[in-house]
Amino acid sequence: MSKYITTPIYYVNGEAHIGHAYTTFIADTMARYERLKGEDTFFLTGTDEHGQKIEESAKKAGKPTQEFADEISATFKNLWDEFGISYDKFIRTTDEEHKKGVQKAFEVMYAKGDIYKDFYEGHYCVSCETFFPETQLIDSEFCPDCGRTTSVVKEESYFFRLSNYEEKLLEHYANHPDFIMPRSRANEVVNFVKGGLRDLSVTRTSFSWGVKMPQSIGDDKHVMYVWLDALLNYITALGYGTDKVNGEAREGALGYDAKMNYWPADIHFVGKDILRFHAIYWPAFLMSLDLPLPKHIGAHGWWTRDGEKMSKSKGNVVSPKEVADAYGVENLRYFMLREVPFGQDGDFSQRAFIDRINSELSNDLGNLLNRIIGMSGKYSDFEIDSVDVEKYHSKEIGQMNLILDSLDAFLENLQPHRYLEELWKLFAIGNGVIQEYEPWVKIKNGQKDEALATVAVVANILSKAAVMLHPVMPNTTNIIADALSFEINTASYQELILEKKLLKLFNIKKVPPLFPRIEEPLMQEAPKAEPVTATKKEQSSKKQTKETKKENDNLIEIGQFFETSLKVGTVVEAEEVPKSKKLLKLQVDLGEENLRQVVAGIKEFYSPDDLINTQVCVVANLKPAKLMGMISEGMLLAAKDEDGLCLIRPEKPKKAGTPIG
Ligand code: ME8
């Protein structure tokens, strides 16, 4: 079986920051893990170089666009090389092979009737390279995602019939509940699609920095929309449209009409900001191309610094290079993967980072290795023999094997923080066994075999832990393996992890301390955030009252809003709850198979007759709650002030279950 793992391709309008590094570390860890298990793995990363944003950034820098793109793309590639990222291909969307593949895909979609020409009039955000309908804009002007000013664009455009794929997409999500990971992120996508998909403008004429239209279509004032161009990188990298990878012809015909090696991707790692593009547009494009869909889209959360959103204007962007220079790139990988559950937002703070280095890496792991090296040097001239391990330590071996068997599922389910948490239990066993058996006492008492068995069981625990930690900390674990005289590779994974073998008679080598303790922060603290003046949205918030200011401090992403499923419901039955002054019990039709029971605190303001056969707005994805012993499976939207409460209702009757948003 083969595996295909990708990162997003990063825009070349600025240098890499910690968020880019995070996605790349996760993808690299997964690729290394699959290779360790012996899977034939292809790991793709690269840069996204077209579009108006890049054209404008180059202009600002006073450079020709290609030269500008070359320079920034190289900073990404150099950084990943310096970090030892194990990519198999670094794709650039300005590569000739990629451009040909994009043109080929356009032709195929066009021939199928999925692309047609029309006029586009809409609001465009250059920063997000996205069109928004007027209804989604803030104050009719500002981008709902980033708050920057949008501009009205009216131009001739080719459109992709995204609306044709609504049903098929919903069907796919329903049949593949793990398509979007973590599953908790799927709701926002499903609701977005259920809200109705508009056809997507996929070409532009107002600038020229993009993939040209295919000659067969011949409309050469158009260039491709950057997201169509960018998403296709995942297949052009495998030779779609050219049969070539890295300039070389590949066996097995990778062309558009033949099966591509490695496709479909096992997982596209993305930040939650670009989940919609990957979970809606991309599968629709692939359906149009008659290609299978990726197995998973893994959407991770957002990194902040000391609780603040990172932005260039605040001057608080964490540079991964600066952190790696100060603390070591592998420590950074460990920290980022251990600190935050995949999918949730995380905070980069030096204090938290230093705490993990000192307590987990230095104390739990580094000290254990040093103690074993020290003891084996003293008791057996650095020679370790596992011959008596089973006899004296079968209990610990059993505990260790249980942990080893549990690990795979954590990584395969994208829970690297749990994977590392469980892995660290091995060091607790190792440290515990030394404390309990006190080999130095045994040596004094003449029980040398027992003392050596304890040293050997810990060395074995360390060897297995090193194999499993390898994908996260490849160089560090190679040093540990070298100290224990073995190599980490698929064969040792097979023997030590799957077959549970112990190391044979071996020599242990001294190594310099792997994780020196850190007393003081090694980097300058982030500047305290100033009120931001970067965008109009943020400027206008200054003028607002205290209360709205509080809300603005707590702004959410549009995706977070869509995590709440709001629906129109029709009240079919309503009755008073006996003995309750406040509650009414309603049966509400939400267009589902069964009616929903909603217990609402509205009795002082409505009688049951006021409600029956009227419509209400319902929060439909709340966890069921019990009120006076009755289950309530939703909540009604209402507004309350000193004059009392009124329900929020649709202005005109709508079908029961119509999504609101
Ligand atoms: O969106 N926290 O490129 P991009 C976590 N070119 N991750 C972050 C982050 C943060 N604060 N900031 C950025 C693009 N990222 C498109 C992608 S793919 C076909 C095209 C990461 O340079 C995260 O992975 O803006 C996010 O999805 C990616 O950088 C966006 O990088």
Side-chain angles (χ1 to χ4, degrees):
M1 270 241 302
S2 63
K3 296 277 171 183
Y4 183 26
I5 294 168
T6 69
T7 72
I9 46 172
Y10 304 113
Y11 283 131
V12 290
N13 63 331
E15 289 186 11
H17 67 66
I18 203 88
H20 300 119
Y22 177 62
T23 325
T24 308
F25 289 157
I26 294 185
D28 184 62
T29 297
M30 287 306 289
R32 287 175 182 274
Y33 184 62
E34 297 300 348
R35 289 190 200 110
L36 184 65
K37 293 203 295 183
E39 304 283 2
D40 172 16
T41 302
F42 195 86
F43 169 25
L44 176 72
T45 189
T47 44
D48 188 355
E49 306 185 13
H50 288 128
Q52 200 172 348
K53 177 157 66 174
I54 310 297
E55 194 177 74
E56 287 180 3
S57 300
K59 241 184 232 154
K60 258 192 217 151
K63 295 195 172 154
T65 317
Q66 184 66 59
E67 187 184 317
F68 177 78
D70 288 346
E71 278 176 22
I72 309 257
S73 177
T75 64
F76 276 91
K77 188 162 184 295
N78 293 341
L79 186 70
W80 301 153
D81 287 341
E82 191 179 321
F83 282 1
I85 301 301
S86 63
Y87 59 82
D88 294 285
K89 181 175 168 79
F90 185 97
I91 192 168
R92 300 183 55 186
T93 53
T94 49
D95 291 342
E96 284 309 315
E97 280 172 14
H98 169 77
K99 291 195 259 183
K100 277 194 193 135
V102 172
Q103 289 172 334
K104 185 88 239 173
F106 196 96
E107 282 173 338
V108 173
M109 292 174 177
Y110 188 78
K112 198 169 178 189
D114 272 344
I115 288 183
Y116 63 94
K117 194 161 152 182
D118 203 342
F119 274 91
Y120 189 87
E121 185 164 8
H123 301 262
Y124 195 69
C125 172
V126 175
S127 176
C128 298
E129 298 281 17
T130 307
F131 283 105
F132 293 98
E134 176 130 24
T135 49
Q136 279 185 19
L137 299 182
I138 299 169
D139 295 344
S140 313
E141 184 180 351
F142 306 109
C143 169
D145 280 356
C146 74
R148 291 181 175 82
T149 310
T150 55
S151 44
V152 178
V153 173
K154 178 169 184 185
E155 58 184 52
E156 186 186 270
S157 176
Y158 285 83
F159 285 81
F160 174 76
R161 290 188 200 278
L162 189 61
S163 54
N164 269 4
Y165 289 92
E166 223 172 276
E167 288 305 313
K168 280 192 197 153
L169 285 169
L170 290 173
E171 206 178 298
H172 187 79
Y173 307 140
N175 293 338
H176 300 84
D178 281 336
F179 178 62
I180 296 165
M181 292 172 82
R183 283 184 184 203
S184 55
R185 288 230 160 267
N187 248 351
E188 71 194 57
V189 172
V190 172
N191 288 340
F192 192 92
V193 176
K194 280 189 180 162
L197 293 177
R198 295 148 55 105
D199 287 350
L200 186 68
S201 159
V202 286
T203 65
R204 305 291 310 276
T205 54
S206 54
F207 64 93
S208 57
W209 185 242
V211 178
K212 305 273 171 291
M213 288 288 277
Q215 276 184 348
S216 61
I217 295 172
D219 214 346
D220 55 12
K221 61 179 185 297
H222 288 260
V223 293
M224 308 271 179
Y225 172 47
V226 64
W227 270 103
L228 173 66
D229 162 5
L231 287 162
L232 286 163
N233 94 90
Y234 299 127
I235 55 174
T236 62
L238 298 181
Y240 179 88
T242 58
D243 290 359
K244 285 192 185 144
V245 175
N246 286 334
E248 280 174 30
R250 266 198 163 228
E251 233 182 274
L254 294 156
Y256 65 96
D257 54 356
K259 194 170 162 291
M260 287 180 287
N261 294 346
Y262 298 109
W263 191 257
D266 289 272
I267 183 154
H268 295 311
F269 283 105
V270 296
K272 64 180 183 183
D273 54 324
I274 55 172
L275 173 60
R276 201 192 325 147
F277 298 95
H278 284 79
I280 300 174
Y281 298 176
W282 180 224
F285 295 157
L286 286 165
M287 286 173 181
S288 177
L289 295 172
D290 288 320
L291 287 173
L293 306 195
K295 291 181 198 150
H296 307 287
I297 312 288
H300 65 70
W302 215 239
W303 280 87
T304 52
R305 178 176 199 175
D306 300 315
E308 297 277 342
K309 192 169 175 175
M310 276 181 267
S311 82
K312 279 191 195 149
S313 53
K314 282 185 198 168
N316 68 344
V317 174
V318 186
S319 144
K321 165 105 175 90
E322 203 187 315
V323 187
D325 285 348
Y327 293 94
V329 65
E330 299 211 347
N331 290 354
L332 177 60
R333 287 168 72 109
Y334 173 77
F335 172 72
M336 296 194 96
L337 266 61
R338 174 67 186 84
E339 180 76 359
V340 182
F342 183 85
Q344 291 183 20
D345 291 346
D347 188 49
F348 181 87
S349 99
Q350 281 196 83
R351 201 59 267 166
F353 188 14
I354 293 170
D355 284 350
R356 286 208 186 271
I357 293 180
N358 286 346
S359 75
E360 290 157 22
L361 294 174
S362 185
N363 279 0
D364 298 344
L365 166 55
N367 283 351
L368 187 61
L369 180 66
N370 286 341
R371 289 176 90 178
I372 286 307
I373 294 173
M375 285 192 247
S376 78
K378 261 199 210 154
Y379 311 152
S380 56
D381 200 17
F382 297 106
E383 197 176 88
I384 293 197
D385 193 340
S386 301
V387 67
D388 286 328
V389 165
E390 287 284 359
K391 181 166 156 202
Y392 294 109
H393 290 294
S394 59
K395 184 180 91 191
E396 288 78 14
I397 296 281
Q399 291 169 337
M400 173 179 77
N401 287 341
L402 276 181
I403 293 171
L404 291 174
D405 286 342
S406 74
L407 289 177
D408 183 67
F410 291 118
L411 217 47
E412 292 293 347
N413 291 330
L414 298 191
Q415 297 176 297
H417 75 294
R418 290 281 296 117
Y419 178 86
L420 290 168
E421 191 181 17
E422 288 302 302
L423 182 50
W424 246 247
K425 290 186 180 163
L426 294 176
F427 304 128
I429 298 176
N431 281 307
V433 82
I434 295 181
Q435 210 151 338
E436 186 182 342
Y437 288 85
E438 301 181 317
W440 51 94
V441 175
K442 300 258 158 55
I443 288 282
K444 262 196 212 145
N445 295 346
Q447 297 161 292
K448 191 169 175 186
D449 283 359
E450 280 183 51
L452 293 186
T454 302
V455 174
V457 76
V458 176
N460 276 287
I461 289 173
L462 277 168
S463 70
K464 290 168 200 266
V467 174
M468 296 309 275
L469 186 57
H470 186 68
V472 181
M473 306 185 83
N475 290 329
T476 313
T477 49
N478 279 342
I479 299 174
I480 298 174
D482 189 46
L484 298 172
S485 301
F486 78 105
E487 271 180 34
I488 300 176
N489 50 35
T490 303
S492 56
Y493 170 81
Q494 175 75 28
E495 285 183 13
L496 298 179
I497 307 299
L498 299 183
E499 293 167 20
K500 311 276 184 305
K501 287 192 182 147
L502 299 177
L503 290 172
K504 303 206 180 73
L505 181 70
F506 63 97
N507 279 312
I508 198 162
K509 285 185 217 144
K510 278 191 182 171
V511 288
L514 291 176
F515 311 103
R517 280 187 70 79
I518 295 168
E519 304 303 340
E520 289 296 323
L522 302 174
M523 287 165 28
Q524 266 194 349
E525 292 294 346
K528 263 277 137 279
E530 295 284 322
V532 189
T533 52
T535 66
K536 179 77 193 217
K537 181 174 73 177
E538 286 153 339
Q539 268 176 17
S540 68
S541 77
K542 274 193 188 168
K543 292 190 221 111
Q544 288 165 346
T545 59
K546 252 191 192 164
E547 202 155 335
T548 35
K549 165 117 186 26
K550 214 170 20 177
E551 276 170 20
N552 272 0
D553 286 342
N554 200 12
L555 290 177
I556 59 165
E557 306 275 347
I558 185 122
Q560 280 169 278
F561 171 73
F562 281 114
E563 284 176 16
T564 311
S565 164
L566 296 174
K567 288 185 179 169
V568 174
T570 306
V571 181
V572 179
E573 287 171 41
E575 60 181 281
E576 296 189 354
V577 173
K579 291 196 200 137
S580 167
K581 270 197 227 147
K582 293 194 169 158
L583 298 181
L584 291 182
K585 188 167 84 176
L586 317 178
Q587 305 299 329
V588 183
D589 181 0
L590 285 184
E592 300 164 331
E593 204 176 325
N594 297 316
L595 296 177
R596 291 262 196 128
Q597 175 161 296
V598 176
V599 181
I602 54 173
K603 189 169 169 183
E604 293 159 89
F605 311 99
Y606 290 93
S607 73
D609 287 346
D610 295 331
L611 295 167
I612 293 176
N613 284 333
T614 69
Q615 291 206 300
V616 286
C617 298
V618 182
V619 181
N621 61 343
L622 275 185
K623 285 193 182 141
K626 258 195 180 168
L627 295 170
M628 290 188 74
M630 292 166 300
I631 290 283
S632 181
E633 303 164 292
M635 193 179 96
L636 305 188
L637 294 191
K640 192 176 174 188
D641 62 11
E642 50 293 351
D643 294 327
L645 173 146
C646 75
L647 288 167
I648 312 288
R649 301 171 182 279
E651 191 195 355
K652 294 189 191 123
K654 285 278 153 200
K655 235 185 11 208
T658 303
I660 304 171

